[in-house]
Amino acid sequence: MPASHLNQIIAALPLQRGATEPLFRQLYAAIKAAILDGRMSPGMQLPPTRDFCLLLAVSRQTVLNAYALLTAEGYLDGTVGRGTFVSRDVPLSVPVAAPAGKVDAPGLLRPLSARGQGVVAAMRQVAFHRGPLRAFRVGMPRIDHFPFDVWNRLEARRWRRPDHQFGYSDPAGYLPLRELLCVYLKASRGVQCTPQQIVITSGSQQALFMLSTILLAPGDAAWMESPGYRGASGPLRAAGARVFPVPVDAQGLDVAYGVAHCPQAKLAYVTPSHQMPLGVSMSLPRRLALLAWAAHNKAWLVEDDYDSEYRYSGAPLASLQSLDRDGCVVYVGTLSKVMFPGLRLGYMVAPPALAEALVQAKAVMDRHTAIVPQMALADFIAEGHFGRHIRRTRDSNAERRDQLVRGLAHELDDQLACGPADSGLELCAYFRAGHDEETVSRAGLERGIELRPLGHYADPDAGAACATPPGLLLGFAAIAPAEMQHGLLELGRLLRGR
């Protein structure tokens, strides 16, 4: 697209000066709309922020904040030195026509290897966010609460003072960040570690793939919670593991079932503090039984502590890792839920005997995670912004959780029964009457609401022992009060056949 035409599109973006909504939010919404309706196409390069300011007569900070939100939600991709581009992953509202004369050529491309086919197939089961945010999207933190102005300042300060760290860095990650994470994890989760046990990853998904790859040989059995997080079973299957579904009840993973039916497993993946998706916490007897099994069988335990910061009644639960005396637990954490998903920063806390192997595996995979975001995060923590942000978002999430719980009790008590709601960014709700999850989910999309069936999290190979009552997983953290109320009313009409 010619630059002049793009400039015309930008100049025409609707902004209402003097409105109660901040200009950066208006600009964010206008750019997003232009991307979704195809006026700004995938791969298109946007002007530098200074040029953007001149076209719209707004401050550069307004543009930076809008760009940051759009990047966090996946609409834009930005690379320092190259510019900012519309993401190629954003689906167009209308299909793009193939170039004239172009036809498919079967057999032109060589097929994937068997391992490649397994990697690709493993993640087809994972549901990705599509389209604009709406009730009741799961797994999404409240992004508009994040202090992007502070983050921009911290990153800019680092860019102004480049040093030797801007070369190839330690595969384990930026040492000051690992030192700060050590202090934080010990205080908040009881994790016992040194900075040398921490490996910074490009999100927790990379950590799960690395662990599946280096801890398991093809054909090894691995316990997987069912229902459970499909983003974890994907890497296990991609590594060639034989995933064995283990049922979950009110006390968490049923360790006795796993021992009775698959005692030879080499690894178990668990979410003990806040089980995904049922929201239960693993009881102490189950935790001790799981640790005893792992120690006796020389198996690994992968503890995914994906949203432990958000517990609304009492202090966060101590980690499974804090009880480990045999060096069998690998603790996996993420910053996606507490910061913003587009940051793509996670970490592993490895037993001392495993730490160096994971560092080498990280070096093979991508050498090291981008250094400037790590530096900015270390500053963000050291200057107290991280703690304040967690407290602010915990309060905000609790308010929205309360609104959803009250709304379900008031609008849908005859239709849905709430599961545990004392932590996390979503809660499960079980049907009181006979409803088909998939039918309800599809009908919800037609009404403009996202409803994730609990059956989505069930392992397709699981038997009757892993059966879960039908219901829905409802996200609340990122949903504004008005949108949540709208979603509750629509869900009520849907379940009552109106």
Side-chain angles (χ1 to χ4, degrees):
M1 177 184 294
S4 59
H5 183 52
L6 176 58
N7 289 346
Q8 290 174 4
I9 293 174
I10 293 171
L13 294 176
L15 297 179
Q16 296 181 7
R17 288 168 172 77
T20 55
E21 185 178 27
L23 274 177
F24 85 92
R25 293 288 303 177
Q26 295 183 47
L27 181 57
Y28 149 81
I31 296 174
K32 182 167 72 171
I35 292 172
L36 292 174
D37 66 21
R39 284 176 288 152
M40 294 182 179
S41 56
M44 175 184 291
Q45 183 172 10
L46 297 186
T49 54
R50 296 188 187 280
D51 295 348
F52 215 118
C53 300
L54 296 176
L55 288 168
L56 287 172
V58 296
S59 72
R60 185 164 179 259
Q61 193 61 52
T62 294
V63 180
L64 286 171
N65 288 344
Y67 273 21
L69 273 177
L70 291 161
T71 301
E73 293 189 6
Y75 293 97
L76 298 181
D77 293 324
T79 304
V80 174
R82 290 188 59 241
T84 301
F85 299 80
V86 176
S87 173
R88 295 186 182 278
D89 295 330
V90 177
L92 294 175
S93 56
V94 294
V96 177
K102 181 176 175 60
V103 295
D104 291 334
L108 179 62
L109 296 178
R110 292 178 176 83
L112 296 174
S113 68
R115 178 167 50 188
Q117 293 176 30
V119 170
V120 172
M123 292 302 283
R124 285 179 182 153
Q125 62 188 317
V126 179
F128 295 97
H129 295 155
R130 301 293 186 190
L133 179 66
R134 52 195 167 186
F136 295 93
R137 179 165 291 178
V138 303
M140 190 69 183
R142 183 177 176 181
I143 291 177
D144 64 348
H145 226 45
F146 186 77
F148 284 106
D149 54 343
V150 173
W151 185 262
N152 288 337
R153 176 172 55 80
L154 294 176
E155 274 207 346
R157 186 171 68 191
R158 287 293 181 172
W159 285 119
R160 287 195 299 268
R161 295 183 298 186
D163 58 22
H164 69 281
Q165 296 280 1
F166 277 43
Y168 290 108
S169 188
D170 187 343
Y174 184 51
L175 180 58
L177 174 58
R178 290 185 283 137
E179 291 171 339
L180 288 162
L181 284 174
C182 254
V183 175
Y184 167 71
L185 291 172
K186 182 176 182 179
S188 66
R189 307 292 295 114
V191 171
Q192 302 297 318
C193 67
T194 66
Q196 288 67 39
Q197 291 174 249
I198 295 181
V199 180
I200 304 297
T201 59
S202 300
S204 61
Q205 195 67 35
Q206 184 184 63
L208 296 176
F209 182 75
M210 288 172 59
L211 293 170
S212 300
T213 302
I214 73 167
L215 299 183
L216 297 172
D220 282 348
W223 289 1
M224 177 70 203
E225 298 171 327
S226 184
Y229 175 48
R230 304 299 287 275
S233 58
L236 291 171
R237 287 192 165 90
R242 181 168 60 88
V243 175
F244 182 80
V246 179
V248 177
D249 60 22
Q251 295 186 63
L253 184 84
D254 189 341
V255 179
Y257 181 94
V259 171
H261 294 85
C262 187
Q264 76 281 12
K266 300 296 184 184
L267 181 148
Y269 168 86
V270 288
T271 52
S273 293
H274 182 234
Q275 202 276 333
M276 180 66 178
L278 300 184
V280 299
S281 298
M282 186 181 289
S283 66
L284 181 59
R286 290 274 178 92
R287 292 177 185 231
L288 296 176
L290 182 61
L291 289 164
W293 166 80
H296 182 266
N297 290 274
K298 299 189 183 307
W300 296 103
L301 302 179
V302 177
E303 177 181 13
D304 189 349
D305 205 21
Y306 63 101
D307 66 358
S308 62
E309 289 85 2
Y310 298 127
R311 186 167 181 84
Y312 310 119
S313 55
L317 299 176
S319 63
L320 181 68
Q321 192 266 7
S322 68
L323 301 173
D324 181 19
R325 299 296 178 266
D326 295 285
C328 58
V329 177
V330 183
Y331 180 92
V332 175
T334 178
L335 281 307
S336 293
K337 307 304 184 193
V338 71
M339 302 279 281
F340 53 93
L343 183 61
R344 303 312 304 144
L345 281 180
Y347 53 89
M348 295 180 285
V349 180
L354 182 61
E356 182 58 28
L358 287 180
V359 172
Q360 296 304 321
K362 171 66 176 174
V364 170
M365 181 165 288
D366 66 355
R367 190 60 178 83
H368 63 80
T369 296
I371 191 65
V372 173
Q374 294 185 64
M375 291 176 161
L377 178 57
D379 295 339
F380 193 77
I381 297 173
E383 295 180 11
H385 307 296
F386 186 69
R388 286 191 292 272
H389 178 62
I390 289 177
R391 291 190 293 272
R392 185 166 56 246
T393 50
R394 186 185 292 128
D395 291 344
S396 170
N397 292 346
E399 290 173 2
R400 293 186 174 186
R401 185 277 313 258
D402 292 345
Q403 182 189 357
L404 179 56
V405 171
R406 288 195 305 268
L408 290 171
H410 184 264
E411 304 286 347
L412 290 153
D413 190 52
D414 61 325
Q415 298 291 329
L416 294 171
C418 276
D422 57 352
S423 58
L425 307 178
E426 53 268 315
L427 60 84
C428 62
Y430 301 99
F431 294 133
R432 294 188 187 276
H435 291 287
D436 178 75
E437 293 177 331
E438 293 294 337
T439 301
V440 170
S441 178
R442 287 193 297 270
L445 282 178
E446 294 174 359
R447 294 169 179 254
I449 55 176
E450 291 185 22
L451 304 170
R452 183 71 59 82
L454 288 180
H456 166 78
Y457 298 93
D459 190 292
D461 299 324
C466 295
T468 300
L472 304 168
L473 189 65
L474 305 175
F476 55 81
I479 313 304
E483 176 66 16
M484 190 180 298
Q485 184 60 32
H486 165 75
L488 288 166
L489 292 173
E490 287 297 328
L491 180 55
R493 295 187 185 108
L494 189 163
L495 295 179
R496 296 185 181 100
R498 298 174 185 169

